Amino acid sequence: MIHAEGVTEVTDTTFDAEVLAPGLPVLVEFTADWCGPCRQLAPVLGAIAREEAGRLKVVQVDVDHSPAVAARYAVLSTPTLLVFQDGEPVRSMVGARPKRRLLQELEEVLGAAV
């Protein structure tokens, strides 16, 4: 898996405990080794994980190793980003994007986490 520094990898087994438990909003990247745009997104996710550590949890799911979670949330392409708040998906984004754009898209969720 393309690992972003500071980003936790979750699996079919650990997803519910890591993502759906109460607490901070969680940004989940559905990724795969063969995904070029996922490689571009890795440093962006690492930076956001560091900078927003008190307001947002960032995790990755490898769709090839954890297909049940990908199927449960109808993930059809990578990278797909889902934001979970209080155990529910509240935002979905598909494709790589620059850090500034991703932060703008997360603004509503991050504002609520303050």
Side-chain angles (χ1 to χ4, degrees), residues 2 29-32 35-43 60 78-80 96:
I2 302 160
E29 179 202 21
F30 290 87
T31 186
C35 171
C38 299
R39 293 182 202 287
Q40 294 174 317
L41 195 55
Q60 292 176 297
T78 57
T80 292

Side-chain angles (χ1 to χ4, degrees), residues 32-68:
D33 284 335
W34 44 263
C35 171
C38 299
R39 293 182 202 287
Q40 294 174 317
L41 195 55
V44 171
L45 292 177
I48 289 174
R50 281 190 307 278
E51 294 169 16
E52 302 296 340
R55 301 192 305 161
L56 180 72
K57 181 177 181 178
V58 182
V59 302
Q60 292 176 297
V61 175
D62 186 310
V63 297
D64 292 327
H65 296 126
S66 297

Side-chain angles (χ1 to χ4, degrees), residues 15 19 25-30 56-59 69-70 72-75 79-85 88-94 102 106 109:
F15 185 86
V19 176
V26 182
L27 173 62
V28 180
E29 179 202 21
F30 290 87
L56 180 72
K57 181 177 181 178
V58 182
V59 302
V69 171
R72 179 163 59 168
Y73 292 102
V75 173
T80 292
L81 302 168
L82 290 179
V83 180
F84 288 81
Q85 205 162 19
E88 295 294 324
V90 295
R91 183 160 181 89
S92 176
M93 301 161 276
V94 177
L102 182 54
L106 294 171
V109 174

